[in-house]
Amino acid sequence: MTIILDAMGSDNYPIPEIEGAILAVQQLGVEIILVGNTEVIKKYLPPNFDSKKIQLIDSPDVLEMTDKPVEASRRKPNNSMAVGLRLLKEGKGQAFVTAGNTGGALFNAISILKRMQGVQRPALTAVFPTRKGRCVVLDIGANADCRPDFFVQFGIIGSIFAEKVLNIKSPRVAMLSNGEEEGKGNQLIKESKDLMKKADFNFIGNVEPKEVFAGETDVVVCDGFTGNVFLKTSEAIGKMMTDIIKEDINSGIITKLGGLLVKPAFNRIKTMMDPSQVGAARLLGVNGLVFIGHGRSNSVAIFNGIKAAQHDVDLHLINEIQAAIEKQISSEA
């Protein structure tokens, strides 16, 4: 299996990408195509790297985090994302991973790979830790504004993802709202309700964030603006809580001794809340497996993004989603 990796994506490129690629080759048995400025990449590659397992493809342009996605992508047509996604479209690899500019990744993925047949809008999809396991949340940033029919497709895509990737039978699908009650929510939530009830998945109604983290649902549907704020707030709270606990544990001799007793539990919580353990979010609904990670991704995050890509390839996730969308379309005809 070959995974295409954007070597110029992270804030500290290409070091995390190179280290993550080497880890993936050693531990996952995959082959990697590193796409980026080869002169820069070669400066950081160890002399003993496996050239049979890690192939370099030159890409002279870089989409920086500060670039405006559409304008910069058109001005830099041979940016590392575009080159990597073209390789994916040509079948040179089975998935594409980047830690670069999210807007640039979205624009290039939709422009080059195109949407799946029948898909209204692709959704950026994340997996959140909960008290009872994990929960799929979509959209977390691809579509700031949505329509009710988008929500139905997000529900279908999220349900297939939860079933195939997380092994959840008949996953519970809910809409993220400001209250559980039937009449709560903005106009989009209210207009989507009836369509969601009629859809071919296990719709349970509205949920608040507290129900998400309590594990009361398996799939959460929301517009990209709400989802992105939810994601970033959750990550910020998680980091704040672990930082406060760590500071308090190290504040004195007695607390340090007590800290030794709770260290296993603390480490478990820290791991659960660490974005690098997830690796990357999936862009689902385009004709190809695309993974988009944080700009601050380290080598562990890059490795886990590649690991997630390998997993989804093995599950034939694209085919499963396409079949579900086609089923929906035929039922509405």
Side-chain angles (χ1 to χ4, degrees):
M1 184 186 301
T2 301
I3 307 298
I4 302 163
L5 176 61
D6 176 11
M8 319 303 285
S10 72
D11 295 342
N12 297 311
Y13 71 78
I15 297 173
E17 286 84 357
I18 290 172
E19 293 177 349
I22 292 171
L23 279 174
V25 166
Q26 293 172 343
Q27 297 185 26
L28 303 177
V30 298
E31 295 183 4
I32 301 292
I33 296 178
L34 269 178
V35 182
N37 187 317
T38 52
E39 290 186 9
V40 174
I41 296 171
K42 287 177 180 177
K43 291 179 182 178
Y44 298 96
L45 273 172
N48 60 341
F49 84 98
D50 190 345
S51 59
K52 294 180 180 179
K53 295 288 187 177
I54 300 178
Q55 178 185 355
L56 305 185
I57 297 292
D58 189 49
S59 165
D61 298 330
V62 178
L63 283 186
E64 304 289 354
M65 291 296 182
T66 53
D67 282 339
K68 294 181 178 179
V70 176
E71 178 186 316
S73 295
R74 289 171 175 164
R75 193 176 69 251
K76 304 174 182 178
N78 290 316
N79 65 78
S80 54
M81 290 183 188
V83 172
L85 288 163
R86 288 188 204 116
L87 291 171
L88 179 62
K89 185 177 182 179
E90 293 165 4
K92 300 295 176 60
Q94 285 72 56
F96 174 76
V97 179
T98 181
N101 184 310
T102 300
L106 293 172
F107 175 78
N108 281 289
I110 294 170
S111 299
I112 294 168
L113 299 176
K114 309 300 181 185
R115 290 173 290 175
M116 283 183 181
Q117 185 176 356
V119 168
Q120 299 282 356
R121 291 288 189 278
L124 200 55
T125 307
V127 179
F128 281 50
T130 73
R131 285 291 302 274
K132 299 178 181 178
R134 292 179 291 174
C135 177
V136 182
V137 181
L138 69 169
D139 178 26
I140 60 161
N143 307 279
D145 298 304
C146 289
R147 302 196 313 243
D149 52 331
F150 296 178
F151 269 22
V152 172
Q153 289 201 338
F154 293 170
I156 292 169
I157 291 171
S159 188
I160 291 294
F161 180 89
E163 183 180 336
K164 301 299 179 182
V165 177
L166 304 184
N167 296 315
I168 300 173
K169 293 182 179 180
S170 188
R172 299 160 295 173
V173 180
M175 292 188 294
L176 186 63
S177 186
N178 64 332
E180 305 169 58
E181 298 83 2
E182 183 82 14
K184 286 292 183 74
N186 58 16
Q187 195 62 30
L188 174 61
I189 297 294
K190 294 174 181 177
E191 291 178 358
S192 301
K193 183 81 70 175
D194 287 341
L195 284 177
M196 295 291 280
K197 287 179 178 178
K198 295 174 184 177
D200 188 21
F201 48 71
N202 182 17
F203 179 62
I204 63 170
N206 295 350
V207 291
E208 297 178 31
K210 70 178 188 297
E211 279 78 48
V212 178
F213 290 111
E216 300 303 320
T217 184
D218 305 304
V219 179
V220 173
V221 171
C222 53
D223 63 82
F225 178 83
T226 302
N228 195 259
V229 172
F230 182 40
L231 172 70
K232 289 177 178 176
T233 301
S234 302
E235 290 178 344
I237 291 173
K239 186 177 187 306
M240 180 188 73
M241 294 299 294
T242 52
D243 287 348
I244 289 173
I245 293 170
K246 186 176 181 180
E247 288 172 7
D248 284 353
I249 287 174
N250 293 323
S251 62
I253 294 176
I254 294 176
T255 55
K256 284 181 180 178
L257 290 173
L260 292 174
L261 298 176
V262 299
K263 187 176 181 180
F266 177 72
N267 287 340
R268 184 173 67 86
I269 293 171
K270 186 177 180 182
T271 299
M272 283 177 61
M273 301 304 296
D274 184 359
S276 69
Q277 297 302 314
V278 176
R282 281 95 163 166
L283 179 63
L284 300 178
V286 294
N287 289 306
L289 288 172
V290 177
F291 295 75
I292 306 173
H294 277 293
R296 61 180 181 273
S297 291
N298 56 21
S299 59
V300 174
I302 298 295
F303 169 81
N304 282 320
I306 295 169
K307 185 177 181 180
Q310 180 189 39
H311 186 239
D312 288 8
V313 171
D314 287 337
L315 291 174
H316 306 287
L317 185 62
I318 293 293
N319 295 338
E320 296 285 354
I321 292 174
Q322 184 66 74
I325 294 295
E326 290 173 358
K327 182 180 178 182
Q328 176 223 1
I329 294 171
S330 63
S331 67
E332 293 175 350

